[in-house]
Amino acid sequence: MEKIFVSSCLLGARVRYDGNAKTLDDQILATWRAEGRLVSMCPEMAAGLPSPRLPAEIESGASAQDVLEGRAHVIDKEGGIVTAPFVAGADLAVEVAREQNIRFALLTDGSPSCGSTFVHGGHFDGQKHEGEGVVAARLRAAGVQVFTQERLGDLARAIEMAENAG
Ligand code: SF4
């Protein structure tokens, strides 16, 4: 049975920067949960950040890869450098995925950690651009297929195919 790494805010945990969850109310997810397939984590909190916390973004003009390779920072809204816990959270996510042989992840889009199709631009002005967060980048590099909450159906199909093939 394929296990699935899930951003814990999608499962109702109040772990986001604003102290809230981003609950994804969906029957497929509920079924997977009942089957014991879900491995949930908030990488930022696993790395020691509190909730609520200041919003953070990857610095303007930089990518997740730049952050992971030490060329750029994650900054909070007051200009503080919070790169270390973000990278630590990405490392912890990969560690868990490896331990549990996880090949699929469902991550909250737009986050500097969990985003996988878009992130915010580093100016805290609501601007978005194509890109990924540090957790998504590191999980992908470890061979995990990443899906956003908008693509739950695609994830279900990918898992079905993987299980039929196996
Ligand atoms: Fe959700 Fe990921 Fe942000 Fe944690 S780091 S609150 S799991 S999007």
Side-chain angles (χ1 to χ4, degrees):
M1 185 176 72
E2 295 284 345
K3 289 197 168 180
I4 307 149
F5 182 101
V6 185
S7 299
S8 60
C9 55
L10 293 177
L11 295 175
R14 299 180 64 179
V15 293
R16 299 187 74 215
Y17 73 93
D18 59 4
N20 289 318
K22 198 173 173 68
T23 311
L24 181 59
D25 191 9
D26 188 284
Q27 191 49 49
I28 300 175
L29 201 55
T31 302
W32 286 341
R33 194 177 212 170
E35 290 171 346
R37 289 177 186 265
L38 304 185
V39 176
S40 78
M41 179 195 266
C42 171
E44 292 174 21
M45 287 198 69
L49 290 172
S51 175
R53 53 190 173 275
L54 287 171
E57 298 186 0
I58 293 172
E59 72 180 85
S60 174
S63 67
Q65 212 50 44
D66 292 331
V67 173
L68 292 169
E69 290 173 9
R71 293 188 296 272
H73 284 297
V74 180
I75 47 168
D76 70 29
K77 200 174 180 181
E78 291 181 355
I81 291 176
V82 287
T83 311
F86 276 72
V87 172
D91 288 342
L92 288 168
V94 168
E95 211 176 293
V96 165
R98 286 212 172 109
E99 274 167 15
Q100 306 230 23
N101 294 319
I102 287 174
R103 302 195 293 166
F104 299 95
L106 181 69
L107 303 183
T108 308
D109 214 2
S111 151
S113 292
C114 295
S116 61
T117 72
F118 78 90
V119 290
H120 294 271
H123 297 292
F124 300 91
D125 58 3
Q127 296 268 3
K128 302 167 180 176
H129 64 83
E130 239 176 72
E132 60 186 353
V134 290
V135 172
R138 200 143 258 183
L139 284 174
R140 281 171 166 154
V144 176
Q145 290 186 50
V146 174
F147 294 77
T148 71
Q149 69 272 30
E150 313 293 338
R151 294 188 55 218
L152 190 55
D154 292 337
L155 172 57
R157 279 185 284 282
I159 288 175
E160 202 183 326
M161 278 173 64
E163 290 184 340
N164 288 341

